[in-house]
Amino acid sequence: MPLFGNTFSPKKTPPRKCASLSSLHMLDRSIREIELGLEYGTPTVNLAGHSLKFENGQWVAESGSFTGDHREMQRLRKRNQQLQEENNLLRLKVDILLDMVS
């Protein structure tokens, strides 16, 4: 029994039998292009009947797919602006209260 020696020596794992289970690496390049499809196009998503596509880093509604009311959009933007202003005011109040406590 060694006093300072290493008594733990794990067995080496056997090498893998197959590097890849996919047979795509054995195919010709033209067949791979057909199988994998190099022309992806733009990603599109359909949410609640509205179709969106990803262009220049932003999701854009496809033309003709958005049937929302213009007045509804203005109302939502106004409400969003009000909530942002209220949020800023509340943050300011919290900062003032924290300064008063410390």
Side-chain angles (χ1 to χ4, degrees):
M1 186 167 139
L3 187 60
F4 295 105
N6 186 5
T7 59
F8 179 73
S9 58
K11 295 180 182 178
K12 294 197 175 202
T13 59
R16 294 184 179 193
K17 294 181 182 178
C18 181
S20 174
L21 298 176
S22 174
S23 62
L24 290 175
H25 67 278
M26 292 185 278
L27 296 176
D28 185 50
R29 179 180 176 173
S30 61
I31 297 173
R32 272 188 285 174
E33 287 178 358
I34 294 169
E35 288 288 325
L36 299 175
L38 296 179
E39 294 296 325
Y40 299 117
T42 59
T44 58
V45 175
N46 189 7
L47 296 173
H50 301 293
S51 182
L52 303 169
K53 62 182 176 180
F54 193 74
E55 289 183 349
N56 298 328
Q58 294 197 1
W59 289 99
V60 179
E62 287 187 351
S63 61
S65 68
F66 183 71
T67 59
D69 189 19
H70 182 65
R71 283 180 267 139
E72 179 73 15
M73 289 294 291
Q74 286 180 341
R75 186 185 66 77
L76 289 174
R77 283 190 182 127
K78 185 177 178 182
R79 180 70 176 142
N80 188 17
Q81 181 68 28
Q82 289 173 347
L83 290 174
Q84 285 178 349
E85 289 173 2
E86 182 181 352
N87 191 17
N88 289 338
L89 178 66
L90 291 173
R91 286 184 187 193
L92 180 65
K93 287 182 179 182
V94 166
D95 286 342
I96 291 172
L97 287 173
L98 286 175
D99 286 342
M100 290 172 63
V101 168
S102 62

